[in-house]
């Protein structure tokens, strides 16, 4: 079996809902990170790209005609490069990377460009069609920004509660306190700010032309659990713990990564960053969606043939602080190795882009620290989780072996 490697990753800064990137269409966000990926590959003959696979969770707006294909064409790549779009909600772009790695493993491809894009600001309202024309009553527009809409009445009601209420139920089940959530959220902001100040994201982020956004817009340096503790709860007025401060915000952005075989080093003119060593998927009750990464990561580690005691870095997408804390507790890992450069509570969570964001961050984190093994994991609405194990190739043998 051929081995699959991640060679490079790039993303936009993530913008707040209705703010820094709200004027940019999602297909243009995708095109930007595709163009940037190509620019960063010094030897690349674009005709050698086997396929572009992008994630997107909405699909109902300006990205509706296969955003991978649209982004490829808008980026000026040859029309001969195929594109496919993946929708696994929040896990869409991590799923895109998993799909690409399997194609590499199977020998069906040598070089794949993967990623994802989401504009939650520009997600449209939709009006359902009626069974018969000319209805006499009113019709209601449904927002496609986040969560359930146009719900099938056959779905059990406990499965279709809001993501916030689901998180309240999860924290009750797994014993996560408000104080733990607010501490975790404050760390997300402060670690994100520190990483930006120290230049960690300089090589990972590319500014979108026509915008002034140079950093992730949601970061609040100097956050504290005490300050966040003063915020009102959002989903429950009584006995609630989930607030806007300990949840990821609605966001806009895009991300991309090169996935290729060992031979792709020569095609790109790059050394690989990390080997994709294990993959895992898991599903559980939809109302406990935030806990699904636990078993997904365990399965990915089993596929890689290692245990948690060997993992030096974890990138866990922070949909909510409560579910993040619950996952970390279940794994029994040292919290200090999780999201060492901040997370989605601070930086944002543009649904289709977050998977490749955590994968690229993990690869660069392993490179910077010299740790050998890392895990990228993400929870997914309707009760799913995905995870990928990366092996830092420079930590296993002579880095000169990877010279292009």
């Amino acid at each position: 079996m051929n081995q699959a490697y991640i060679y490079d990753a790039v993303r936009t800064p993530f913008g707040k809902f209705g703010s820094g990137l709200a004027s940019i269409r999602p297909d243009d966000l995708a095109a930007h990170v595709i163009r940037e990926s190509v620019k960063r590959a010094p030897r690349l003959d674009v005709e050698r790209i086997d396929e572009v696979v992008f994630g997107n969770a909405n699909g109902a707006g300006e990205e509706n005609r296969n955003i991978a294909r649209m982004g490829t064409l808008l980026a000026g790549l040859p029309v001969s490069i195929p594109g496919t779009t993946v929708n696994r909600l929040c896990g869409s772009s991590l799923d895109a990377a998993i799909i690409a790695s399997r194609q590499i493993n199977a020998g069906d491809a040598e070089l794949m460009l993967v990623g994802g894009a989401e504009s939650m600001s520009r997600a449209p309202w939709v009006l359902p069609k009626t069974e018969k024309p000319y209805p006499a009553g009113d019709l209601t527009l449904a927002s496609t920004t986040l969560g359930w809409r146009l719900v099938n009445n056959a779905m059990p009601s406990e499965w279709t509660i809001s993501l916030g209420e689901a998180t309240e139920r999860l924290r009750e089940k797994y014993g996560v306190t408000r104080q733990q959530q607010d501490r975790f959220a404050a760390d997300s902001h402060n670690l994100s700010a520190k990483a930006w100040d120290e230049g960690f994201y300089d090589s990972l982020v590319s500014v979108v032309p026509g915008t002034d956004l140079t950093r992730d817009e949601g970061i609040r340096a100097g956050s504290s659990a005490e300050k966040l503790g003063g915020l009102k709860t959002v989903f429950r007025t009584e006995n609630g713990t989930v607030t806007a401060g300990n949840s990821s915000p609605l966001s806009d952005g895009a991300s991309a990564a090169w996935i290729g075989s060992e031979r792709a080093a020569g095609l790109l003119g790059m050394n690989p960053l990390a080997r994709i060593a294990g993959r895992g998927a898991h599903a559980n009750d939809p109302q406990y969606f935030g806990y699904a990464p636990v078993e997904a990561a365990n399965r990915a580690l089993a596929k890689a043939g290692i245990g948690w005691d060997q993992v030096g870095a974890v990138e866990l997408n922070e949909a909510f602080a409560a579910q993040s804390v619950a996952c970390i507790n279940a794994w029994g890992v040292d919290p200090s190795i999780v999201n060492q450069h901040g997370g989605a509570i601070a930086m944002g969570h543009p649904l289709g882009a977050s998977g490749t964001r955590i994968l690229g961050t993990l690869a660069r984190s392993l490179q910077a620290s010299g740790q050998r093994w890392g895990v990228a994991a993400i929870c997914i609405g309707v009760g799913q989780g995905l995870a990928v194990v990366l092996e830092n190739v420079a930590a296993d043998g002579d880095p000169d072996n990877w010279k292009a």
Side-chain angles (χ1 to χ4, degrees), residues 101-246:
S101 69
R102 289 187 181 123
Q103 290 189 235
I104 301 298
N105 292 157
D108 289 340
E110 294 283 356
L111 180 62
M112 305 277 286
L113 182 57
V114 304
E118 204 79 48
S119 177
M120 300 178 81
S121 295
R122 301 175 72 90
W125 293 278
V126 296
L127 187 67
K129 283 187 175 180
T130 58
E131 294 179 7
K132 296 180 180 179
Y134 312 119
D138 296 334
L139 294 175
T140 302
L141 288 169
S143 172
T144 65
T145 301
L146 179 69
W148 288 93
R149 76 292 304 245
L150 307 179
V151 177
N152 190 318
N153 290 330
M155 283 282 186
S157 59
E158 67 268 24
W159 289 357
T160 62
I161 56 176
S162 72
L163 298 173
E165 172 58 25
T167 301
E168 291 282 15
R169 296 187 187 190
L170 184 149
R171 64 91 184 166
E172 288 176 328
K173 183 175 182 178
Y174 295 104
V176 181
T177 68
R178 169 73 185 268
Q179 291 73 26
Q180 288 175 310
Q181 294 174 59
D182 290 339
R183 283 197 299 270
F184 184 89
D187 286 344
S188 180
H189 284 280
N190 293 320
L191 289 169
S192 297
K194 182 174 183 285
W196 271 104
D197 289 345
E198 293 177 349
F200 176 80
Y201 286 111
D202 290 352
S203 66
L204 275 165
V205 176
S206 173
V207 174
V208 179
T211 72
D212 298 323
L213 193 62
T214 59
R215 285 192 175 195
D216 300 311
E217 197 172 10
I219 299 171
R220 296 291 178 264
S223 292
S224 69
E226 291 71 27
K227 291 178 183 177
L228 292 171
L231 296 177
K232 293 182 178 180
T233 58
V234 176
F235 302 97
R236 288 186 184 178
T237 56
E238 294 184 7
N239 301 317
T241 63
V242 179
T243 71
N246 56 39

Side-chain angles (χ1 to χ4, degrees), residues 305-365:
I306 64 167
W308 279 110
D309 60 333
Q310 295 170 268
V311 174
V314 178
E315 284 292 321
L316 172 63
N317 191 60
E318 302 167 356
F320 295 88
Q323 60 83 207
S324 299
V325 171
C327 290
I328 293 167
N329 289 345
W331 291 325
V333 298
D334 182 347
S336 69
I337 73 169
V338 181
N339 299 350
Q340 298 168 75
H341 304 98
I345 288 174
M347 293 186 284
H349 177 21
L351 308 178
S354 291
T356 327
R357 191 224 16 120
I358 62 171
L359 191 67
T361 302
L362 179 64
R364 289 296 183 189
S365 180

